[in-house]
Amino acid sequence: MSESLRNNGRIWVPKNKGDRRPPNAIPEAERDYYLERKYPSFGNLVPRDVASRNAKEVCDDGRGVGDSGLSVYLDFRDDITRLGRDVIEARYGNLFEMYNRITGEDPYAQPMRIYPAVHYTMGGLWVDYQLQSSVPGLFVLGEANFSDHGANRLGASALMQGLADGYFVAPYTVPDYIASTRFTDAPVNHPAFNEAATRVDDNLKHLLGVKGKTTPREFHRRLGHLMWDYVGMARNEVGLKKVLSEIPALRDEFWRDVSVPGSNDYMNQSLEYAGRVADYLEFAEVMALDALERAESCGGHFREESQTPEGEALRDDENFAHVAAWEFTGVGTAPVLHREKLDFENVHPSQRSYK
Amino acid sequence: MVAQSRPILEGSHSAASSMKIKLKVWRQKGPDADGKLVDYTLNDVSPDMSFLEMLDVLNESLIRTGQDPVDFDSDCREGICGSCGIMINGKAHGPLAGTTTCQLHMRTFRSGDEIVVEPWRAEAFPVVRDLVIDRSAFDRIIVAGGFISVNTGAAPDANAVLVPKQNADMAMDAAACIACGACVAQCKNASAALFVGAKVSHLALLPQGNPERSRRAIRMVQQMDAEGFGSCSNEGECEAVCPKGISISNIARMNREFTKASFGGTR
C-alpha cells in the first residue's frame, strides 16, 4: 500500500507475543504504537527505511499479526473519529478499496495489515550530467537511471524523477547530442546488427533447448527468497558472502534445468519470462556484491555490523561518501568498481535522529 | 464531483479451505487459428488467490506436464496498469463492480464453480494468442490526439494557472481510465466511446490542454472510427463494467467537443 497512508494511520502491534485476538478486541493499554514510542518527534512519519526495519523487528520478535505473523496494524480509527470517514475516503478511497479487494477486509472498520515489500530500488543505470549512459547516444531518463536516489527513495519518486528529467534536462541535452553528432546509416545488414541478432537468437535457442524440469517461475521464486533473506532489509557480511556463492549456483542450475515450453516463432510468454529471470539471475549478483562492498549502513541499506548502540543505521562518510558504479565485464566475471566521490558543499551528511 | 465511490465488500479474509474450480478457457494458437474452449480442473485453489494467481497455478501445472500454458497479459497486478483484461463468465473483468481482473479474488467464487474464461472480443482488438489481444488500436488513438503545448525550462510558480476544483476533480476522474478496453469488450457494438470520451475530456477540462483542444477531439474521434470500433448507442454497459467507474457523461462531453470543433474547423 502507498506510504501516504501513514499520514493518517497509526502503526501498532500487540504488546504481548502471540496475542491472537482480533485487533478491535485488543484494549488500548495492550497495544504498542512502537514508532510513536521510539520516535516521539516523528512518530508514524519516520522515513521508509526506519519504518520498514522497525516492522521487521517487531515481527522477528514474534509480535507480528495475521496468519503469517508477518504484518503490523495500520489503524485509521482515531483519524476517522477525528476527521470523519468522508475526509479519509476523499484522501485514500482508492487505496482503501484496493486493500479491500485484496484482503476481503474493511479497512474503515478494522486496521489494515501491512508489511514492507520490495517496491523500487535505489540506483539504476549510470549516467553523466547530460543523462547519457556509457553507451553513446543512449540517454536514460526517470528512475531507470541512478542519479536522484541516494540511500533512501523519496516519496512519489517515480513522478518526481520523470518530470525533472523530462522537463528540465532531456529537452536540452538530447537535442544537443543530435545536433552535434554525425550519424551514418545503420541498416539491418550492418555487422553490429547481425552480431546482436545472432546473439539474441542463440540465447533464445539455448533457453528452449535446455528442456529441464523446473519452471522459470520456480527459479524466480527461489532467487526472490535468497534476495529477501540475505539482501533484504538487514544485511551482514556472512549472509552476503553466502548469497554470493548461492546466486551463481542457482544461475548454473537454471541453465541446466529450466523448462521453457513452446518455440520462438510466436509470442511466447514463457520464453519472455525465462529471459527476464535469466537477467535477474545476473543482476542479483551485482546487487549483493554492492551491498557487501558498502560496509556502512546508509538509508535503506542496513548493515548489521554498522549500527548505533540504539540499533539505528550508522553511516561512515569517511570511507563511503561515494557512488559505486559497477562496470559489467561479462556474466560470471567480477564487475569493476568505479567510485565517484560525493561532494557536499552546503548541507553536510550527519547521523539521522527521529527521536 | 468526486469519483463515484464503490462499495467496500463484505466477506472476510479466510486462511481456510481450498476450493475446487472448473475452468473453460479459450485456447487459440494465433490470430488466424481456430480457437476453442478447453476444460481444466484445479483442486487446490486458495480463496485468497487473485484470479491471475489462479491462472499462474494452472500454468505451472501445464508446463510441468509438458503442455502449453495459457497466455494472458498482466503487469502491475495492482489494478492501475490496464494490461489484464479477461471476459469472466461473459462479464469484462468478472463479477465485481469497479474491479480489474487482477484485483478479483477467488473468494468471490464458490468451490465447485465452473468459470468461463475468454479474451476481449472486438474486431479492433484481434486475438494474438489465447487470452491475449492486440490493443494497439488504443495506442493509435492516443497518438492521433497528439501533443499538448507545455513550457519547459524554468518551473512555473505553483498556482500560476488556476483550475476550478470542480474541473480538476472531473479531469482527474476522466484520467483514471487505464485503457484496459473493458468498455469495448462489453459493448454490443464494440464501441470505444467511453475510452475516447475519457481521454478527450481529461485534457479538454484543463487549461493545459486548450491550445490543441479542437484538433485533438477531431483526430481522436476520426481515428476511433478508422480502427473499426462501433458506434455508441447509449446502452451504458461500458460504464457498468469499467473498473475505474468512468462516467458516460464523458461520452457526452466528447460529442460536444467534436461537434464544436467540427463547426470551428480543425487547427
Side-chain angles (χ1 to χ4, degrees):
Chain A
M1 305 304 296
S2 166
E3 282 216 305
S4 61
L5 291 166
R6 284 200 275 133
N7 282 309
N8 291 94
R10 298 179 70 194
I11 291 177
W12 62 277
V13 289
K15 276 188 178 159
N16 302 317
K17 290 181 188 183
D19 188 339
R20 308 301 293 174
R21 285 175 294 177
N24 291 338
I26 299 178
E28 207 56 28
E30 293 174 46
R31 300 178 176 194
D32 179 12
Y33 293 90
Y34 57 89
L35 291 178
E36 297 172 21
R37 172 170 59 78
K38 289 174 70 175
Y39 309 101
S41 24
F42 282 69
N44 297 294
L45 296 178
V46 290
R48 55 179 68 181
D49 64 315
V50 179
S52 301
R53 262 196 309 278
N54 277 278
K56 178 182 186 307
E57 276 168 26
V58 294
C59 292
D60 289 351
D61 186 38
R63 295 192 292 146
V65 298
D67 299 327
S68 64
L70 284 180
S71 48
V72 300
Y73 289 127
L74 176 59
D75 199 335
F76 294 86
R77 183 195 61 187
D78 293 353
D79 270 10
I80 288 175
T81 310
R82 188 170 65 90
L83 302 167
R85 178 180 162 136
D86 288 356
V87 173
I88 297 299
E89 191 172 343
R91 287 182 192 169
Y92 310 112
N94 58 338
L95 297 170
F96 275 49
E97 185 187 291
M98 188 189 287
Y99 181 84
N100 169 250
R101 295 296 186 266
I102 295 167
T103 61
E105 295 173 355
D106 177 1
Y108 291 101
Q110 67 185 94
M112 288 184 176
R113 287 172 294 117
I114 59 167
Y115 195 70
V118 179
H119 183 40
Y120 297 107
T121 49
M122 281 72 83
L125 288 172
W126 180 88
V127 287
D128 61 16
Y129 283 100
Q130 317 289 311
L131 300 184
Q132 186 171 206
S133 69
S134 55
V135 178
L138 180 64
F139 288 78
V140 185
L141 311 186
E143 22 179 32
N145 75 39
F146 84 101
S147 64
D148 294 3
H149 298 286
N152 241 329
R153 283 192 77 87
L154 310 170
S157 51
L159 281 173
M160 184 281 291
Q161 198 171 1
L163 293 172
D165 293 355
Y167 273 114
F168 307 124
V169 184
Y172 304 99
T173 62
V174 175
D176 176 63
Y177 173 79
I178 292 170
S180 58
T181 309
R182 271 216 166 145
F183 296 99
T184 50
D185 278 355
V188 291
N189 57 8
H190 193 284
F193 181 91
N194 287 329
E195 193 202 316
T198 309
R199 200 168 54 229
V200 170
D201 203 45
D202 287 350
N203 201 31
L204 296 181
K205 286 193 181 121
H206 191 170
L207 280 169
L208 289 163
V210 178
K211 298 196 185 303
K213 291 200 163 32
T214 308
T215 64
R217 189 171 298 277
E218 181 61 32
F219 281 109
H220 192 179
R221 186 178 297 274
R222 283 164 61 185
L223 178 64
H225 279 299
L226 285 178
M227 297 303 279
W228 184 255
D229 289 343
Y230 300 109
V231 201
M233 285 180 277
R235 297 111 179 245
N236 60 52
E237 186 181 342
V238 176
L240 289 166
K241 285 188 168 157
K242 180 173 154 71
V243 82
L244 277 166
S245 71
E246 292 194 14
I247 294 167
L250 185 64
R251 190 168 60 224
D252 290 346
E253 192 186 333
F254 174 87
W255 286 104
R256 271 200 322 272
D257 191 42
V258 72
S259 165
V260 185
S263 64
N264 62 344
D265 55 8
Y266 63 94
M267 185 208 72
N268 183 340
Q269 288 187 329
S270 303
L271 180 57
E272 218 178 292
Y273 184 45
R276 298 259 178 90
V277 175
D279 290 341
Y280 299 156
L281 284 162
E282 294 170 12
F283 187 58
E285 197 174 355
V286 77
M287 283 182 75
L289 190 61
D290 186 50
L292 177 65
E293 194 274 339
R294 190 170 285 273
E296 66 160 351
S297 289
C298 182
H301 168 65
F302 185 75
R303 278 289 294 267
E304 287 171 351
E305 302 92 335
S306 180
Q307 48 182 307
T308 65
E310 288 164 316
E312 303 294 337
L314 178 65
R315 53 189 307 137
D316 173 5
D317 292 304
E318 197 83 347
N319 295 304
F320 294 100
H322 63 251
V323 166
W326 295 90
E327 182 185 342
F328 180 70
T329 59
V331 181
T333 57
V336 178
L337 174 59
H338 300 269
R339 290 188 181 87
E340 294 189 350
K341 198 169 169 299
L342 293 169
D343 292 316
F344 299 90
E345 286 173 14
N346 298 314
V347 181
H348 296 277
S350 59
Q351 183 64 38
R352 294 182 292 159
S353 172
Y354 304 101
K355 298 285 174 195
Chain B
M1 193 171 84
V2 176
Q4 157 195 4
S5 79
R6 295 180 286 273
I8 290 295
L9 303 164
E10 298 292 323
S12 67
H13 154 85
S14 40
S17 53
S18 72
M19 304 161 69
K20 178 177 177 174
I21 296 289
K22 288 183 234 164
L23 296 169
K24 283 188 176 301
V25 183
W26 185 259
R27 304 301 312 259
Q28 183 174 337
K29 279 192 181 301
D32 303 318
D34 289 337
K36 62 174 182 198
L37 288 168
V38 177
D39 293 346
Y40 301 102
T41 302
L42 289 174
N43 289 313
D44 194 16
V45 173
S46 156
D48 293 329
M49 278 179 187
S50 74
F51 198 86
L52 298 182
E53 285 164 347
M54 182 271 295
L55 291 179
D56 288 338
V57 169
L58 169 67
N59 281 346
E60 289 293 284
S61 73
L62 290 177
I63 297 175
R64 286 205 182 90
T65 51
Q67 300 173 69
D68 275 348
V70 178
D71 282 348
F72 61 92
D73 271 334
S74 73
D75 193 38
C76 75
R77 299 201 179 191
E78 292 183 0
I80 51 178
C81 78
S83 302
C84 67
I86 297 177
M87 258 337 196
I88 298 166
N89 288 337
K91 202 163 171 202
H93 291 302
L96 287 189
T99 307
T100 53
T101 303
C102 62
Q103 299 282 286
L104 176 67
H105 284 68
M106 295 311 292
R107 70 178 76 90
T108 310
F109 300 94
R110 284 195 204 144
S111 190
D113 275 0
E114 181 176 273
I115 307 174
V116 181
V117 185
E118 295 169 277
W120 287 171
R121 295 193 189 281
E123 192 181 307
F125 287 163
V127 172
V128 177
R129 192 178 159 89
D130 296 336
L131 306 173
V132 179
I133 51 133
D134 179 356
R135 247 176 312 211
S136 51
F138 271 11
D139 298 337
R140 289 187 293 272
I141 293 172
I142 294 291
V143 170
F147 57 86
I148 62 164
S149 297
V150 164
N151 288 325
T152 59
D157 286 340
N159 298 326
V161 182
L162 298 176
V163 182
K165 172 80 166 86
Q166 192 191 6
N167 287 9
D169 284 347
M170 287 193 296
M172 190 69 184
D173 288 350
C177 168
I178 54 175
C180 63
C183 46
V184 174
Q186 202 67 41
C187 176
K188 64 175 188 178
N189 307 328
S191 165
L194 190 67
F195 164 72
V196 181
K199 299 303 172 192
V200 166
S201 292
H202 162 205
L203 293 171
L205 285 159
L206 294 173
Q208 289 87 344
N210 260 300
E212 298 83 16
R213 179 178 189 161
S214 303
R215 184 175 71 190
R216 182 167 50 243
I218 297 268
R219 290 190 182 170
M220 290 181 86
V221 170
Q222 281 173 346
Q223 189 65 34
M224 167 174 77
D225 292 343
E227 295 290 349
F229 292 105
S231 300
C232 173
S233 48
N234 292 315
E235 248 103 331
E237 285 105 331
C238 51
E239 181 184 284
V241 297
C242 176
K244 297 294 151 184
I246 305 288
S247 158
I248 53 172
S249 62
N250 288 297
I251 299 179
R253 190 176 296 103
M254 169 185 74
N255 289 336
R256 272 201 309 279
E257 289 292 317
F258 180 78
T259 310
K260 259 195 315 199
S262 304
F263 285 115
T266 61
R267 272 183 283 163

